[in-house]
Amino acid sequence: MTGINRLPAPAGLLIDRSRTRTFKFEGQLVDGCGGDTIASALAANDIWVLSRSFKYRRPRGALTMAGQDANTLVQLPGRPNVPADVEPVSDGLDVRGQNYEGSLAHDRGTWVGWLHRFLPVGFYYKAFYKPRGAWRFWAPFIRRKAGLGRVDEAAPRGYFDKAYLFSDVIVIGGGPAGMSAAITAAKAGAEVILVDENPILGGALNYARFDAAGEAGARERQRLVESVAAQDGIQVMTGTVANGWFADNFVALMRGNRMFKVRAREVVLATGAMEQPLVFRNNDLPRIMMGTAAQRLIRLYGIRPGTRAVVATANDDGYGVALDLADAGVQIGAVADLRAEPDAGEMAAAAKATGIRVETGCTISSAIPGGGGRSVRGAVLSRIEGRGTYGGGETVDCDLVCMSVGYAPAGQLPCHDGGRLAMDEKTSTFVLRNLPAHGHAAGSVNGSRALDTVLAEGVHAGWRAAAALGLEAGAEPAVPEARGADDRNHDWPLFPHEDGKDFVDFDEDLQVQDILNACADGFDDIELTKRYSTVGMGPSQGRHSALNALRLVYRATGRSLADAPPTTVRPPYTAETFGVLAGRNFEPVRYTPMHHRHLESGARMMVAGPWMRPSFYGAPHDRERSVREEVRAVRGGVGMLDVSTLGGIEIRGPDAAEFLNRMYTFTYARQPVGRSRYLMMCDQTGVIVDDGVTCRFHERHFYVTTTSSGASDVYREMLWWNAQWRLAVDISDVTNAYAAVSLAGPEARKLLVPLADDIDLSPDAFPYMDVRTGHVGGIPARLLRIGFVGELGFEIHVPSSQGEALWDALMSAGEAHGIRPFGLEAQRVLRLEKGHVIIGQDTDGLTYPAEANMTWAISRKKPFFVGGRANRVHEARPLLRKLVGFAIHDPKAPVPEECHLTLYGNDIAGRVTSAARSEALGCIIGLAYVAPAQAEIGASFPIKIGQGRFLEAEVVPVPFYDPDNRRQEM
Amino acid sequence: MRCPLNGPRNISEFVYGGEVVGMPDPETVSDADWADHVFLEDNRRGVVREWWLHVATAYWFIAERDTATDEIVRTYPSSDVFTERVSFPVPGGKGGGT
Amino acid sequence: MSDGGVSPAELPRRSPVYRELAFAGARFVEAHGGAVAESFAIDAAAEIRTARRLALADFSLLPHLGFKGRETVDWLRRQGVDVGDRDNLAYRQSDGALAARLAPREVLLISDVAGRSGLCKRLAAAASIDEEIEAFPVPRGDGYFWFLVSGERAAAMFAKVCGVDLRTGKFSELEIAQTSVARMNAVVVRDDLGDTPAYHILGDVASAGYLWACLLDAMEEFDGGLAGLGTVRRLAGL
């Protein structure tokens, strides 16, 4: 037998008495059974204090035994804030309490409780924000005091992932209503997922009492569970939480380390109800719990929750609790029935027949704490005189207090997708309104409690879901009598005490007076009350405080509760770990066909848009030297750069030239076949967004390149425009079909000649800016005689499957010429020496062509091109800045960085966009935006380089290197 | 959202492309009206026509969406709206582009 | 690397995942200008069992070719290709190749799983820009990797990376889904190998290595493995 409080079988539906689980709690070894939760195993061993409260450090124990309250949050290794009442025990588990100093039993921080009158509601706002800066002083102290569990930064990485699930119907909640709905819908042929957060199906049937004999629950459970198992088409997912319900019935489920994303056509909401607390002095002591919590302990875990109990109730269910307790061997001190004239219920009659003492029109007004507030030793019964008022008091000895004074629907999920909760005055609880389309509520979430009504509602919801799917579901079953007749909530279960500690919100230690004070401070809208007082903001998210807080706020402000809404409900329904949200973390990476060759050559790779590209080849510490040598190789011999990342788009059809004329700024109608031409693209506001080269291979065929990061945007933009223009042109993105290299340097032609046997590479036959098709090393290729780096060069585009073979062929043929692969860093220096602009680096989201000296690329003769109209507006206005080339001749000057500011007088004129030390030119060169008045050749301007230092730069003509372009046209 | 080509898909497969608006004649429109056209959206409450792109197929289509409820009323190919080849007259007026 | 067969790096056409195949112990044979993985396991019967359960195969070097343009469907019909009349369906040709209709103006042709179909080659040669016909070849054979996922557990594995319901009862043979797989764009075509469910998956060749790793990771819990083309042919009865 594990634990002195363990009841004999058959009590204990979830536990396996044949297996012992030994774990540590606060350093002490504790034995539980297989199937126990941490809290139940501790309760079996008469350990009831699980945590200390957030503000006053009061000892707390389980309130719901359903994972719904913050009282049970414990620390596991690497996992803070674990609800002990649902977390299973396992051998060797090391469990600690949270939120105390010293030990859980003797917290050195309890003095805070004595200060409660100096900790008024809104205390933090009031106390620590004046004088200015005070919060910074107080924050570390308060955070240490108020913290929940500890995050272990060294906790091992878990493996989390996500999966989709598809079904016609998802039924959320595996209780009597949910199981009935699932069976009905599946019988009609629907594919059903039945989800429940508990380890087994059954819901309230597993623990609650529905009749005097105490047999109906087990009987119905057995019938329904067997029917579910026998019914085809139901996928049962227990231990699974539905945590969000989003647009178009997208339901997020969490099970272990996996999130399931379910798209269902119909959703049946059968999530049940949550029992609500009674507010009285010391209602937070350990072993003051919901009636259903006591029933869960008895039936699920086989635990006797006390020796002598007082039950406060306002419905027949409370008598069921009393009967269950009596059956479990607990003496009943008294049943305090809040109702003055209770309806005669079946279980009330049975309870009275056993001789249990029943007081009507009576409440518990206070609980008497035992041993340092770690237990309860008596309940004071008082006569109810009015709404929340009472008189007299008689102390009844007890070590257990059960509260059964009403329920609130677990209606959070539909509120994620437009549903809302509102107060129904007649039943004194929330009702669900505006269920999402294709949502059906059934059972106690719908306000129904009587078992036959719940079952009938389940059948009806299942039928409606099936009917909505167009399935043959037979005649509509009888609609159960409307909820509302079933009134189990007391309309005012709040009995404030002049000495306080009458808790409305256990998470945040808020008492009745705190809520009233918030209203008095002017925060009397429920949303404001919540934020000011923090009511409902703790881990249990108002599950037990929303109803009572609303009652208090509306009464304090003299408003009618009819239709009053609680605070907005947002996802998630329960706490979720970041790992579950992150999942497997899919992030597509793009590699060129030559990627592994780069790695084998010692390349340092860098992220460039969606691509991985070589930054330079060499050891990290050798970066500067490597880049310098790569630059030298291109200027003096031959280098090769992988440019497979350039976007490639085929434009084909009778309107191909007209289409380019509209998309780009230049004119392409008369571009000769076999020639290439520069491309500049603007957006509708006239800002430069991309550039590239177009090759005309045929009257009706252009091959267009884009920047490496711009390919997909340019392609989309082209398709979007032509969806409107409807030109006779086909636009195909072939970026990934081509691998490409840029072979550049004075030796480039010599290297290539032996490989290109069907293309005449001589300068006359293949002049600068021409394009050819043929073969390189036997590989079909498109050759472009263009050069971004300002040397004799060829861009060679080949089918990507042969990109690596091309690389291999060129590297081996180039060996004799001292070929060297170069990376992006060298390319940036080389193109800067030529004054070439990189779109997105030397331009920004506002740069229009005149600012970047690009008006030469604009055709004035075309009727229309994208950005043309806006460009006319820009050009009619004075320039505000201009991109210039600059040189810094001081040999000791550091190289300015991108985005260092340029100044004009005391004003910011612009910024440096590119800068590098040029070996070819023997100075620092760069591009920068300056004021138009500073843009004359020979003018100088200051660059602010940080730490109050300035560099003087001189405006020089571009290109810096080989201004007559002789080298690239060799 | 229902893609006219691919059927119902998760919204994460789509990219929004702005409201469907006619382009004013660039030759006659004032600078201010052009600026209005390129920078401002009406942002109306109610059913509006919008461009949407199904990313996996690079397919642009039009959706009618209620901006108040976020309900997508219907979707259809852009060719239902844009039926004719658009030409821009050469300034001075001598016929189409090609 | 491999016993007796060829080495991929000796041939001009190379699969984007040839290193992964070699690392997994592939036995390569020369085909389509490159080296294709013929088998992985020593025990051929075991590899067939794997393929029936859940396996990934690389088809990237097998012929596949796109056509686009507003006269694509008409022109292909004139070339004797059955392109049917519904988008997002694939149509089987007499030589086993598939014509996958991706859009009203776009068709993707993929060879039979044995790679014997000469359709792509024939059509690539037939298409000429001089013809003034708006049906243009798109080199998907290079732009798209081509994998095949086979086995009873394939749909369950796909549910971890793809939001479209690919279960056999919901996604028919020769149906096409153009969707997001592990957050990249892909074309998925169901094409069973005999009675074993199978799906072609084609997408951006530059992310082939990324997706290969994603799929292997997703397959792990279902006891998935790799299959060579020989195994695939045997399942298909070719």
Side-chain angles (χ1 to χ4, degrees), chain A residues 40 45 110 137 141 165 193 265 286 329 373 458 488 532 672 681 737 739 805 912 935 947 959:
Chain A
S40 69
N45 291 285
T110 44
F137 173 79
F141 167 77
L165 276 178
I193 294 174
R265 289 164 69 193
R488 306 210 178 193
Y532 186 64
M681 180 180 275
V912 172
Q947 286 144 10

mmCIF file of all heavy atoms in Angstrom, chain A residues 40 45 110 137 141 165 193 265 286 329 373 458 488 532 672 681 737 739 805 912 935 947 959:
data_model
loop_
_atom_site.group_PDB
_atom_site.id
_atom_site.type_symbol
_atom_site.label_atom_id
_atom_site.label_comp_id
_atom_site.label_asym_id
_atom_site.label_seq_id
_atom_site.Cartn_x
_atom_site.Cartn_y
_atom_site.Cartn_z
ATOM 1 N N SER A 40 -1.140 13.490 -6.296
ATOM 2 C CA SER A 40 -1.898 12.398 -5.685
ATOM 3 C C SER A 40 -0.990 11.496 -4.863
ATOM 4 O O SER A 40 -1.361 11.038 -3.788
ATOM 5 C CB SER A 40 -2.661 11.604 -6.756
ATOM 6 O OG SER A 40 -1.778 10.874 -7.592
ATOM 7 N N ASN A 45 0.452 10.141 0.826
ATOM 8 C CA ASN A 45 1.380 10.122 1.954
ATOM 9 C C ASN A 45 1.138 11.273 2.916
ATOM 10 O O ASN A 45 2.014 11.652 3.689
ATOM 11 C CB ASN A 45 2.813 10.142 1.428
ATOM 12 C CG ASN A 45 3.181 8.834 0.737
ATOM 13 O OD1 ASN A 45 3.419 7.833 1.400
ATOM 14 N ND2 ASN A 45 3.155 8.843 -0.582
ATOM 15 N N THR A 110 7.689 34.440 4.603
ATOM 16 C CA THR A 110 6.274 34.627 4.966
ATOM 17 C C THR A 110 6.005 35.976 5.610
ATOM 18 O O THR A 110 4.863 36.408 5.678
ATOM 19 C CB THR A 110 5.774 33.539 5.946
ATOM 20 O OG1 THR A 110 6.776 33.370 6.933
ATOM 21 C CG2 THR A 110 5.502 32.245 5.230
ATOM 22 N N PHE A 137 15.813 50.217 -9.140
ATOM 23 C CA PHE A 137 16.369 49.804 -7.860
ATOM 24 C C PHE A 137 15.582 48.630 -7.280
ATOM 25 O O PHE A 137 16.134 47.670 -6.781
ATOM 26 C CB PHE A 137 16.365 51.000 -6.900
ATOM 27 C CG PHE A 137 16.763 50.636 -5.504
ATOM 28 C CD1 PHE A 137 18.107 50.458 -5.185
ATOM 29 C CD2 PHE A 137 15.807 50.469 -4.511
ATOM 30 C CE1 PHE A 137 18.477 50.110 -3.905
ATOM 31 C CE2 PHE A 137 16.177 50.116 -3.227
ATOM 32 C CZ PHE A 137 17.509 49.935 -2.918
ATOM 33 N N PHE A 141 14.893 43.010 -6.666
ATOM 34 C CA PHE A 141 14.410 42.500 -5.378
ATOM 35 C C PHE A 141 13.025 41.874 -5.540
ATOM 36 O O PHE A 141 12.750 40.762 -5.094
ATOM 37 C CB PHE A 141 14.373 43.661 -4.373
ATOM 38 C CG PHE A 141 13.613 43.361 -3.127
ATOM 39 C CD1 PHE A 141 14.173 42.564 -2.134
ATOM 40 C CD2 PHE A 141 12.330 43.874 -2.934
ATOM 41 C CE1 PHE A 141 13.466 42.289 -0.970
ATOM 42 C CE2 PHE A 141 11.621 43.595 -1.787
ATOM 43 C CZ PHE A 141 12.200 42.805 -0.799
ATOM 44 N N LEU A 165 -3.176 16.938 -38.837
ATOM 45 C CA LEU A 165 -4.141 15.852 -38.747
ATOM 46 C C LEU A 165 -5.368 16.311 -39.523
ATOM 47 O O LEU A 165 -5.690 17.496 -39.528
ATOM 48 C CB LEU A 165 -4.555 15.613 -37.290
ATOM 49 C CG LEU A 165 -3.678 14.723 -36.424
ATOM 50 C CD1 LEU A 165 -4.265 14.680 -35.026
ATOM 51 C CD2 LEU A 165 -3.603 13.323 -37.007
ATOM 52 N N ILE A 193 -11.999 12.735 -34.809
ATOM 53 C CA ILE A 193 -10.916 12.722 -33.827
ATOM 54 C C ILE A 193 -11.523 13.105 -32.492
ATOM 55 O O ILE A 193 -12.233 14.115 -32.388
ATOM 56 C CB ILE A 193 -9.807 13.720 -34.212
ATOM 57 C CG1 ILE A 193 -9.119 13.285 -35.509
ATOM 58 C CG2 ILE A 193 -8.781 13.852 -33.094
ATOM 59 C CD1 ILE A 193 -8.118 14.298 -36.029
ATOM 60 N N ARG A 265 -13.750 19.865 -40.451
ATOM 61 C CA ARG A 265 -14.886 20.567 -41.059
ATOM 62 C C ARG A 265 -15.901 20.952 -39.994
ATOM 63 O O ARG A 265 -16.539 21.993 -40.086
ATOM 64 C CB ARG A 265 -15.493 19.701 -42.161
ATOM 65 C CG ARG A 265 -14.545 19.636 -43.381
ATOM 66 C CD ARG A 265 -14.897 18.513 -44.324
ATOM 67 N NE ARG A 265 -16.168 18.763 -45.000
ATOM 68 C CZ ARG A 265 -16.832 17.825 -45.684
ATOM 69 N NH1 ARG A 265 -16.350 16.607 -45.751
ATOM 70 N NH2 ARG A 265 -17.960 18.117 -46.276
ATOM 71 N N PRO A 286 -4.464 24.831 2.497
ATOM 72 C CA PRO A 286 -4.373 23.478 1.939
ATOM 73 C C PRO A 286 -5.495 22.601 2.483
ATOM 74 O O PRO A 286 -5.859 22.708 3.659
ATOM 75 C CB PRO A 286 -3.007 22.982 2.423
ATOM 76 C CG PRO A 286 -2.209 24.237 2.636
ATOM 77 C CD PRO A 286 -3.187 25.262 3.116
ATOM 78 N N GLY A 329 -15.015 6.833 3.917
ATOM 79 C CA GLY A 329 -14.645 6.778 5.322
ATOM 80 C C GLY A 329 -14.347 8.116 5.950
ATOM 81 O O GLY A 329 -13.732 8.196 7.008
ATOM 82 N N GLY A 373 -0.615 27.539 9.117
ATOM 83 C CA GLY A 373 -1.362 27.777 7.878
ATOM 84 C C GLY A 373 -1.171 26.662 6.877
ATOM 85 O O GLY A 373 -1.547 26.807 5.722
ATOM 86 N N GLY A 458 -24.980 15.477 -26.462
ATOM 87 C CA GLY A 458 -23.866 14.908 -27.211
ATOM 88 C C GLY A 458 -24.350 14.254 -28.489
ATOM 89 O O GLY A 458 -23.814 14.476 -29.571
ATOM 90 N N ARG A 488 -27.245 25.308 -11.064
ATOM 91 C CA ARG A 488 -26.436 24.760 -9.964
ATOM 92 C C ARG A 488 -25.531 25.803 -9.340
ATOM 93 O O ARG A 488 -24.721 25.481 -8.496
ATOM 94 C CB ARG A 488 -25.594 23.598 -10.476
ATOM 95 C CG ARG A 488 -26.468 22.568 -11.155
ATOM 96 C CD ARG A 488 -25.938 21.189 -11.054
ATOM 97 N NE ARG A 488 -26.923 20.329 -11.722
ATOM 98 C CZ ARG A 488 -26.948 19.016 -11.628
ATOM 99 N NH1 ARG A 488 -26.056 18.404 -10.911
ATOM 100 N NH2 ARG A 488 -27.866 18.325 -12.248
ATOM 101 N N TYR A 532 -5.094 46.390 -13.708
ATOM 102 C CA TYR A 532 -4.624 47.138 -12.544
ATOM 103 C C TYR A 532 -4.382 46.208 -11.362
ATOM 104 O O TYR A 532 -3.358 46.293 -10.683
ATOM 105 C CB TYR A 532 -5.661 48.197 -12.196
ATOM 106 C CG TYR A 532 -5.250 49.136 -11.096
ATOM 107 C CD1 TYR A 532 -4.154 49.993 -11.261
ATOM 108 C CD2 TYR A 532 -5.952 49.189 -9.894
ATOM 109 C CE1 TYR A 532 -3.781 50.857 -10.258
ATOM 110 C CE2 TYR A 532 -5.588 50.061 -8.890
ATOM 111 C CZ TYR A 532 -4.501 50.899 -9.068
ATOM 112 O OH TYR A 532 -4.132 51.750 -8.084
ATOM 113 N N PRO A 672 19.828 43.971 -80.299
ATOM 114 C CA PRO A 672 20.094 42.933 -81.299
ATOM 115 C C PRO A 672 20.156 41.546 -80.673
ATOM 116 O O PRO A 672 20.557 41.393 -79.516
ATOM 117 C CB PRO A 672 21.475 43.322 -81.854
ATOM 118 C CG PRO A 672 21.742 44.699 -81.366
ATOM 119 C CD PRO A 672 20.970 44.876 -80.114
ATOM 120 N N MET A 681 15.289 47.960 -62.699
ATOM 121 C CA MET A 681 13.863 47.914 -62.416
ATOM 122 C C MET A 681 13.540 48.896 -61.298
ATOM 123 O O MET A 681 14.240 48.950 -60.279
ATOM 124 C CB MET A 681 13.454 46.496 -61.991
ATOM 125 C CG MET A 681 11.973 46.332 -61.678
ATOM 126 S SD MET A 681 11.563 44.642 -61.195
ATOM 127 C CE MET A 681 11.327 43.907 -62.815
ATOM 128 N N ALA A 737 17.569 26.227 -62.477
ATOM 129 C CA ALA A 737 17.924 25.323 -63.564
ATOM 130 C C ALA A 737 19.333 25.613 -64.073
ATOM 131 O O ALA A 737 19.909 24.804 -64.779
ATOM 132 C CB ALA A 737 16.922 25.445 -64.699
ATOM 133 N N ALA A 739 23.325 26.738 -63.258
ATOM 134 C CA ALA A 739 24.463 27.080 -62.421
ATOM 135 C C ALA A 739 25.286 28.067 -63.228
ATOM 136 O O ALA A 739 25.232 28.049 -64.457
ATOM 137 C CB ALA A 739 25.283 25.833 -62.124
ATOM 138 N N ALA A 805 30.369 19.810 -62.462
ATOM 139 C CA ALA A 805 31.285 19.331 -63.502
ATOM 140 C C ALA A 805 31.951 20.514 -64.207
ATOM 141 O O ALA A 805 33.139 20.456 -64.542
ATOM 142 C CB ALA A 805 30.517 18.465 -64.498
ATOM 143 N N VAL A 912 27.806 56.427 -45.743
ATOM 144 C CA VAL A 912 28.689 55.599 -46.555
ATOM 145 C C VAL A 912 27.927 54.325 -46.891
ATOM 146 O O VAL A 912 27.293 53.724 -46.017
ATOM 147 C CB VAL A 912 29.969 55.265 -45.767
ATOM 148 C CG1 VAL A 912 30.821 54.253 -46.520
ATOM 149 C CG2 VAL A 912 30.748 56.537 -45.465
ATOM 150 N N ALA A 935 28.841 67.401 -54.165
ATOM 151 C CA ALA A 935 29.049 66.300 -55.099
ATOM 152 C C ALA A 935 30.016 66.600 -56.234
ATOM 153 O O ALA A 935 30.287 65.741 -57.057
ATOM 154 C CB ALA A 935 27.694 65.852 -55.666
ATOM 155 N N GLN A 947 33.070 57.370 -32.035
ATOM 156 C CA GLN A 947 33.934 57.866 -30.965
ATOM 157 C C GLN A 947 34.397 59.303 -31.241
ATOM 158 O O GLN A 947 35.529 59.679 -30.948
ATOM 159 C CB GLN A 947 35.150 56.946 -30.785
ATOM 160 C CG GLN A 947 34.779 55.639 -30.114
ATOM 161 C CD GLN A 947 35.580 54.473 -30.657
ATOM 162 O OE1 GLN A 947 36.543 54.655 -31.405
ATOM 163 N NE2 GLN A 947 35.164 53.276 -30.303
ATOM 164 N N PRO A 959 34.397 55.211 -62.889
ATOM 165 C CA PRO A 959 35.062 54.188 -62.102
ATOM 166 C C PRO A 959 36.393 54.685 -61.540
ATOM 167 O O PRO A 959 37.081 55.477 -62.180
ATOM 168 C CB PRO A 959 35.294 53.061 -63.112
ATOM 169 C CG PRO A 959 34.563 53.417 -64.353
ATOM 170 C CD PRO A 959 34.237 54.843 -64.296
#
